[in-house]
Amino acid sequence: MAKRVTGPEIEKLIQLLAKVPGLGPRSARRAALHLVKKKDQLLGPLADAMGEAHRKVRICSCCGNVDTVDPCTVCTDERRDRSVIIVVEDVSDLWALERAGAMNAAYHVLGGTLSPLDGVGPDDLNIRGLINRVSEGGVRELIIAVNATVEGQTTAHYITDQLQGLDVKITRLAHGVPVGGELDYLDEGTLTAALRARTTI
Amino acid sequence: MQWNDEAIVLGVRRHGETSVIAEVMTRSHGRHLGVVRSGRSRAMQPVLQPGNSVDVTWRARLDEHLGEFRIEPLQLRAGRLMEAAIAVYGVQAMAALLRFLPERDPHPHLFEMLAVVLEHLHEPADAGELVVRFELAVLEDLGYGLDLARCAATGDTVDLVFVSPKSGRAVSRSAGMPWADRMLALPGFLGEATGAAADAQALAEGFRLSAYFLNRHVCEPRGLQLSTAREGFVQATLKALAARSAEFAS
């Protein structure tokens, strides 16, 4: 049996860090050692920041975003065009779209996609909240920005079906050649979609 | 242990940060699961979409292990399927149906049928009829096949318009009329009018027929329900046919 080289507190820290995406047991050990070495400059402030985040973080009751205030910062931003809602699968997609800065719209986070293999059905997603938001009125366009996967598009069509009869324009993201993409390496489906959605130069 | 086979992707589930567990319907090895290393890479994600045909090599130390897949694309249909509601619902509904089959149990004719249906998922009448036939074929492979060739009461092979909800056998018009309110309708395309294009009513009857027996024999005993995708597929098919009829009428 291997001898223990650290106390249970540091072992627990390593075990928890190893559960963070991108970190395995070895890199968690390195990160833990780094934190322990920089106890005052890093470990203390990090622990405080995590504690504070843990106390304050909540899901936005309006859009499903993660923030420390409810409604979230995005929902309370007066400068946003609230007549346009971008529907995304996950908070990470919301952050990605905000990084792009292409739209100044409101968001709605579904919390996943319909996935029979993972047992995710309509009731497990934040679809009811979306329908309520649109039903309340004032929404001109709904942009369904889900992943270009069969599960993502099934979810998009399901949402479209559920919103039938409501006076809202429903659009989705275009599918096509990514920036820096080489045609030779693209799959036939993407190429077909790109050709169909071609634009005049 | 190693084998190579042609397969159609049914779904994927995340496995760690970079890999996935892929579920495929193979020609000779039935519904099979396996780990795909780097399955979440940019190169593999488009390949591992439901509905795509792939060449799969499965490898494991022991037969009972989950094993690993090495996957090469053969025909990538997913991009085309994603364009229409009827197609994405269809592929998800059939994948959900195939999950009722035991793993690693070969059903080569279901594989063939699945490949055919996937090629016709954009044509509502064809897709609807083919999916109903596919559902009945799955029922048959699960041991609950319907006998739609002759009347359960008289042995007649003509004028079969009902199906007994009790026995799953066809019933002729004359024999079934007294119990017509309790009988299920047998759509023409499953009976004598094979070859004729199915209309919206016939398809609705076909969907009701297969749903009744799927619920009774497969879903209810397992405490499950038919997939949401199936309901979406039925609605999308009937809506497309209604829109087409309205177009012709005008």
Side-chain angles (χ1 to χ4, degrees):
Chain A
M1 194 176 155
K3 285 181 187 168
R4 288 171 70 167
V5 290
T6 59
E9 294 82 6
I10 296 177
E11 278 300 326
K12 191 176 178 187
L13 177 66
I14 293 167
Q15 280 173 15
L16 290 172
L17 282 171
K19 291 182 180 176
V20 174
L23 293 185
R26 192 176 283 261
S27 43
R29 196 166 283 279
R30 281 184 62 203
L33 185 60
H34 185 72
L35 287 169
V36 169
K37 276 183 181 172
K38 305 227 170 195
K39 188 181 159 195
D40 294 330
Q41 302 100 308
L42 202 55
L43 185 59
L46 181 68
D48 291 343
M50 290 176 93
E52 188 77 357
H54 179 251
R55 271 190 300 280
K56 289 190 174 173
V57 82
R58 61 204 66 210
I59 306 288
C60 175
S61 55
C62 177
C63 72
N65 186 17
V66 173
D67 206 342
T68 52
V69 286
D70 184 15
C72 70
T73 314
V74 176
C75 286
T76 50
D77 188 348
E78 293 292 333
R79 291 165 300 173
R80 287 179 187 270
D81 179 3
R82 294 184 196 187
S83 67
V84 180
I85 296 179
I86 304 177
V87 182
V88 292
E89 284 181 26
D90 202 64
V91 176
S92 58
D93 300 326
L94 187 159
W95 290 356
L97 286 167
E98 277 298 290
R99 275 202 307 275
M103 292 284 285
N104 188 32
Y107 287 90
H108 192 88
V109 182
L110 293 173
T113 51
L114 296 173
S115 173
L117 197 55
D118 292 322
V120 180
D123 296 337
D124 301 309
L125 303 178
N126 190 12
I127 294 177
R128 179 52 49 196
L130 177 65
I131 295 167
N132 291 342
R133 272 180 90 178
V134 177
S135 305
E136 283 166 10
V139 180
R140 179 169 47 88
E141 184 177 357
L142 202 70
I143 304 170
I144 304 184
V146 291
N147 290 339
T149 59
V150 169
E151 287 178 352
Q153 296 310 305
T154 307
T155 311
H157 287 297
Y158 181 82
I159 291 169
T160 310
D161 289 346
Q162 296 299 305
L163 293 173
Q164 222 161 35
L166 295 175
D167 185 24
V168 61
K169 180 183 174 188
I170 303 174
T171 55
R172 70 167 191 191
L173 296 186
H175 299 162
V177 183
V179 174
E182 294 178 31
L183 298 190
D184 192 23
Y185 287 94
L186 290 180
D187 64 289
E188 294 94 318
T190 306
L191 282 173
T192 309
L195 276 171
R196 285 194 184 155
R198 66 189 182 276
T199 52
T200 311
I201 299 175
Chain B
M1 308 294 301
Q2 182 173 330
W3 52 254
N4 178 267
D5 203 351
E6 189 185 343
I8 293 169
V9 180
L10 299 180
V12 288
R13 184 188 295 170
R14 284 182 181 194
H15 181 66
E17 286 184 37
T18 56
S19 303
V20 296
I21 294 175
E23 183 184 38
V24 298
M25 183 67 186
T26 62
R27 185 186 292 275
S28 315
H29 298 84
R31 186 171 64 87
H32 211 293
L33 282 88
V35 174
V36 182
R37 301 279 172 213
S38 302
R40 292 183 63 197
S41 66
R42 279 190 187 179
M44 282 310 288
Q45 270 189 325
V47 177
L48 291 170
Q49 292 300 310
N52 283 342
S53 285
V54 292
D55 179 87
V56 58
T57 303
W58 179 78
R59 203 176 293 163
R61 194 166 62 80
L62 295 173
D63 197 34
E64 57 264 33
H65 284 177
L66 177 62
E68 283 188 25
F69 281 149
R70 202 183 67 226
I71 285 182
E72 295 284 336
L74 288 177
Q75 191 183 354
L76 302 181
R77 302 185 188 89
R80 193 161 43 89
L81 295 175
M82 279 188 243
E83 288 173 16
I86 190 171
V88 281
Y89 281 138
V91 68
Q92 295 276 44
M94 287 189 293
L97 206 57
L98 288 170
R99 289 188 187 111
F100 289 127
L101 296 172
E103 270 182 56
R104 305 186 180 194
D105 193 20
H107 297 272
H109 66 287
L110 285 181
F111 172 84
E112 298 288 350
M113 282 183 90
L114 179 64
V116 171
V117 183
L118 288 172
E119 289 302 316
H120 292 85
L121 274 179
H122 284 85
E123 178 47 49
D126 291 349
E129 185 179 333
L130 287 168
V131 168
V132 171
R133 288 183 187 281
F134 184 79
E135 290 181 330
L136 296 182
V138 171
L139 264 174
E140 188 161 353
D141 277 30
L142 287 168
Y144 306 106
L146 308 185
D147 177 5
L148 306 177
R150 59 181 62 244
C151 175
T154 63
D156 285 349
T157 55
V158 292
D159 205 22
L160 303 172
V161 293
F162 299 117
V163 176
S164 162
K166 224 170 185 179
S167 66
R169 297 178 67 189
V171 179
S172 67
R173 191 185 306 274
S174 57
M177 201 47 93
W179 298 277
D181 56 332
R182 279 185 258 168
M183 291 283 183
L184 293 163
L186 174 60
F189 69 88
L190 289 176
E192 294 155 67
T194 306
D199 58 16
Q201 192 194 337
L203 280 180
E205 288 170 355
F207 288 131
R208 206 173 303 128
L209 180 71
S210 54
Y212 178 83
F213 288 103
L214 280 169
N215 273 321
R216 182 175 149 189
H217 294 305
V218 185
C219 297
E220 283 168 14
R222 302 173 195 210
L224 299 172
Q225 289 185 326
L226 285 173
S227 67
T228 317
R230 185 190 188 272
E231 183 54 32
F233 176 76
V234 173
Q235 296 305 327
T237 307
L238 298 178
K239 194 171 133 190
L241 285 176
R244 186 171 293 182
S245 301
E247 201 177 300
F248 279 131
S250 63

